[in-house]
Amino acid sequence: QVQLVQSGAEVKEPGASVKVSCKASGYTFSVYAVHWVRQAPGQWLEWMGWIDAGNGNTQYSQNFQDRVTITRDTSASTAYMELSSLRSEDTAVYYCARNPPGTRPFDNWGQGSLVTVSS
Amino acid sequence: QSVLTQPASVSGSPGQSITISCTGTSSDVGGYNYVSWYQQHPGKAPKLMIYDVSYRPSGVSDRFSGSKSGNTASLTISGLQAEDEADYYCNSYTSYNTYVFGTGTKVTVL
């Protein structure tokens, strides 16, 4: 079955960077897009960006344009999200989600990775 | 980029029907039939419930239905059950080739 397994929780200091991974299985990785969504404590979901796992093209939310980088390693069926210049407001659970080709919904999600930014 | 507007909370008794609204603009909800809805239980990842405004993925109960009029999309849950108590989020594709979520609605089964 389709699975998206994310890396574990991280604690980072303000100003540092974090890189979260999302390993896919159960489907052909390069055929789908992978999106990243975050949720701060008690807050709503926030879309961050996406990558076409086939050609590597990306698109980012303006809210994170200068700080987020999404990449993928097709040989490892893994997508990555790196967020730089971390601040306390970036403390959140970060999710990856799959998006089938030719459609727009996020049909499978990872389990989430908690990133805590604290000095 | 702005967020889609949803009511903070909606409640209903078992067996009743409730409707959650999701208001955007002509650049997102009103411009495309790419509205989806997600259910999220506490501490869990979201689950896709409705896509492309009104389509249900395999395995989702037909008690869930979606619609859209102008810049507002709606999710209706009929025959409300205790297990439906959760947070619900709408999402839309936008004219910037990006996506935007709603503010979320907490559904309480009385």
Side-chain angles (χ1 to χ4, degrees):
Chain A
Q1 76 281 21
V2 173
Q3 276 196 305
L4 298 174
V5 179
Q6 298 183 221
S7 48
E10 304 247 22
V11 179
K12 296 291 184 181
E13 292 192 344
S17 296
V18 67
K19 191 170 186 176
V20 181
S21 67
C22 171
K23 182 169 177 56
S25 61
Y27 71 96
T28 303
F29 178 72
S30 60
V31 173
Y32 292 73
V34 176
H35 295 249
W36 288 89
V37 175
R38 80 175 186 180
Q39 187 171 37
Q43 296 298 306
W44 54 75
L45 301 170
E46 185 176 18
W47 183 82
M48 300 179 69
W50 64 306
I51 186 166
D52 182 321
N55 60 26
N57 288 345
T58 56
Q59 183 77 33
Y60 302 123
S61 165
Q62 277 188 324
N63 295 341
F64 303 95
Q65 188 72 40
D66 299 327
R67 297 198 297 135
V68 68
T69 304
I70 299 174
T71 57
R72 95 291 190 219
D73 178 347
T74 54
S75 66
S77 298
T78 301
Y80 303 90
M81 186 284 299
E82 183 169 21
L83 188 62
S84 62
S85 302
L86 290 170
R87 35 209 190 225
S88 59
E89 309 90 88
D90 294 318
T91 294
V93 175
Y94 290 77
Y95 294 100
C96 62
R98 187 186 79 158
N99 172 206
T103 68
R104 301 295 177 184
F106 314 137
D107 68 347
N108 281 272
W109 293 65
Q111 84 276 17
S113 299
L114 174 62
V115 174
T116 302
V117 182
S118 173
S119 55
Chain B
Q1 289 168 311
S2 57
V3 64
L4 306 177
T5 301
Q6 299 180 231
S9 62
V10 173
S11 61
S13 299
Q16 287 187 329
S17 293
I18 61 168
T19 297
I20 303 168
S21 61
C22 169
T23 301
T25 69
S26 57
S27 294
D28 38 65
V29 173
Y32 305 90
N33 287 326
Y34 293 136
V35 176
S36 51
W37 289 89
Y38 300 85
Q39 176 192 65
Q40 187 181 35
H41 286 107
K44 300 295 187 182
K47 174 187 175 184
L48 177 64
M49 304 302 285
I50 294 287
Y51 68 97
D52 294 355
V53 175
S54 60
Y55 292 87
R56 274 187 313 277
S58 174
V60 171
S61 171
D62 59 5
R63 298 184 299 102
F64 291 84
S65 61
S67 62
K68 190 185 84 167
S69 177
N71 295 337
T72 298
S74 298
L75 173 72
T76 298
I77 309 174
S78 58
L80 199 61
Q81 299 180 0
E83 68 213 47
D84 301 332
E85 188 161 291
D87 294 327
Y88 291 82
Y89 294 91
C90 60
N91 177 274
S92 177
Y93 177 72
T94 84
S95 59
Y96 307 101
N97 195 30
T98 61
Y99 293 76
V100 62
F101 280 97
T103 51
T105 299
K106 181 177 180 61
V107 168
T108 301
V109 181
L110 302 172

